[in-house]
């Protein structure tokens, strides 16, 4: 099992450019998440998905869009990148179980710099 | 609404001495609580989780945490620090039944001195 993988690992964009980050998981998890990590702020939820074809906004969704066309993939898009989106982006997945005690599995992260 | 406070942004200990990383939470639901560790330039790895089965939870690498409902705390401890424990530690609370409401604390950076 590869677990959760993210593509690319690093990227540098110019202001106004667009890009898509890909997250893939091979654990057949129902839930998937996109977070951004900034110094001193922990991880903040951007968008999440509770199943194929469904997405929802998290805490900081502005400037991002997502799609989950296949259960194993969760894409994060930046339509017009801004310097404020310079961050490390983490994808996570989680199995759907009764109750709420199962953990998230995280990818290795994508370091994005917007100039 | 759920929230997490990690009382120390940075903790420094000597190798072989105890580690205490503090976490307080607020939740309107019966919470699930987690500690994750992040080594430099790496993803997050689960250390341990509270599942309501036992208030004292044992995790990997000798870490443990105690859930205290009356104090709304979930502090992480380890009897003897190792150099490899130097990392960022995050306390996380979730509180709903839909798997969407995870709230991360800001993190505590643990330094281990030789």
């Amino acid at each position: 099992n590869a677990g959760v993988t993210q593509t690319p690992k690093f990227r540098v964009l110019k202001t106004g450019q667009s890009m898509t980050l890909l997250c893939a998981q091979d654990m057949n998890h129902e839930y998937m998440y996109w977070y951004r990590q900034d110094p001193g702020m922990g991880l903040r939820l951007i968008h999440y998905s509770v199943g194929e074809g469904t997405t929802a906004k998290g805490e900081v969704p502005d400037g991002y869009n997502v799609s989950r066309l296949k259960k194993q993939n969760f894409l994060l898009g930046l339509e017009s990148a801004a310097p404020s989106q310079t961050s490390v982006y983490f994808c996570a997945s989680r199995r759907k179980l009764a109750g709420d005690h199962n953990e998230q599995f995280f990818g290795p992260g994508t370091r994005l710099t917007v100039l | 609404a759920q929230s997490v406070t990690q009382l120390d942004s940075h903790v420094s200990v000597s190798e072989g001495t105890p580690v205490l990383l503090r976490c307080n939470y607020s939740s309107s639901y019966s919470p699930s609580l987690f500690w994750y560790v992040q080594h430099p330039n790496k993803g997050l790895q689960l250390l341990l989780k509270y599942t309501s089965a036992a208030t004292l939870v044992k995790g990997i690498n000798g870490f443990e945490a105690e859930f205290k409902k009356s104090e709304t705390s979930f502090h992480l401890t380890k009897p003897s620090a190792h150099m490899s424990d130097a990392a960022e530690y995050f306390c996380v609370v979730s509180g709903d039944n839909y798997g969407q409401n995870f709230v991360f604390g800001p993190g505590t950076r643990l330094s281990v001195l030789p």
Side-chain angles (χ1 to χ4, degrees):
Chain A
N1 277 357
V4 180
T5 58
Q6 293 183 231
T7 308
K9 290 185 169 52
F10 303 93
R11 186 72 185 268
V12 178
L13 290 178
K14 295 181 179 178
T15 297
Q17 287 185 318
S18 64
M19 78 163 294
T20 300
L21 281 67
L22 171 63
C23 175
Q25 53 96 3
D26 61 1
M27 296 174 283
N28 203 33
H29 286 175
E30 290 78 12
Y31 299 147
M32 296 187 75
Y33 309 79
W34 274 109
Y35 292 91
R36 60 177 290 172
Q37 183 180 27
D38 302 293
M41 303 186 74
L43 273 70
R44 293 182 293 168
L45 183 63
I46 304 171
H47 286 279
Y48 64 95
S49 169
V50 300
E52 184 177 327
T54 69
T55 63
K57 295 180 180 179
E59 179 186 355
V60 289
D62 294 342
Y64 305 96
N65 57 75
V66 288
S67 65
R68 185 133 180 239
L69 299 179
K70 294 182 179 180
K71 186 177 184 179
Q72 63 269 33
N73 295 338
F74 195 29
L75 278 63
L76 178 70
L78 286 73
E79 290 184 349
S80 179
S84 60
Q85 294 177 303
T86 294
S87 188
V88 181
Y89 292 84
F90 287 99
C91 177
S93 70
R94 177 171 178 259
R95 191 157 62 110
K96 181 180 180 180
L97 285 176
D100 196 31
H101 299 303
N102 52 325
E103 68 273 21
Q104 297 173 300
F105 291 80
F106 285 86
T110 295
R111 187 173 297 273
L112 175 66
T113 302
V114 183
L115 303 175
Chain B
Q2 288 86 327
S3 67
V4 177
T5 302
Q6 291 184 246
L7 296 157
D8 305 292
S9 59
H10 182 214
V11 170
S12 184
V13 301
S14 296
E15 191 174 22
T17 64
V19 175
L20 170 63
L21 305 183
R22 297 181 292 170
C23 172
N24 286 90
Y25 69 92
S26 171
S27 177
S28 53
Y29 301 91
S30 178
S32 298
L33 292 156
F34 308 82
W35 276 100
Y36 286 87
V37 60
Q38 183 182 31
H39 288 93
N41 300 313
K42 300 289 186 183
L44 280 76
Q45 180 186 17
L46 180 71
L47 272 180
L48 49 81
K49 62 182 178 182
Y50 166 68
T51 62
S52 76
T55 56
L56 183 62
V57 181
K58 294 189 184 299
I60 62 172
N61 300 334
F63 284 94
E64 61 182 37
E66 186 172 8
F67 173 70
K68 292 186 176 180
K69 186 175 181 179
S70 61
E71 300 177 9
T72 60
S73 69
F74 191 56
H75 301 334
L76 182 70
T77 60
K78 183 174 181 178
S80 177
H82 190 273
M83 296 296 289
S84 61
D85 295 328
E88 189 92 16
Y89 292 79
F90 294 97
C91 182
V92 182
V93 63
S94 74
D96 64 26
N97 290 325
Y98 301 102
Q100 65 197 49
N101 205 354
F102 290 90
V103 178
F104 281 72
T108 297
R109 182 165 61 90
L110 176 65
S111 297
V112 182
L113 307 175

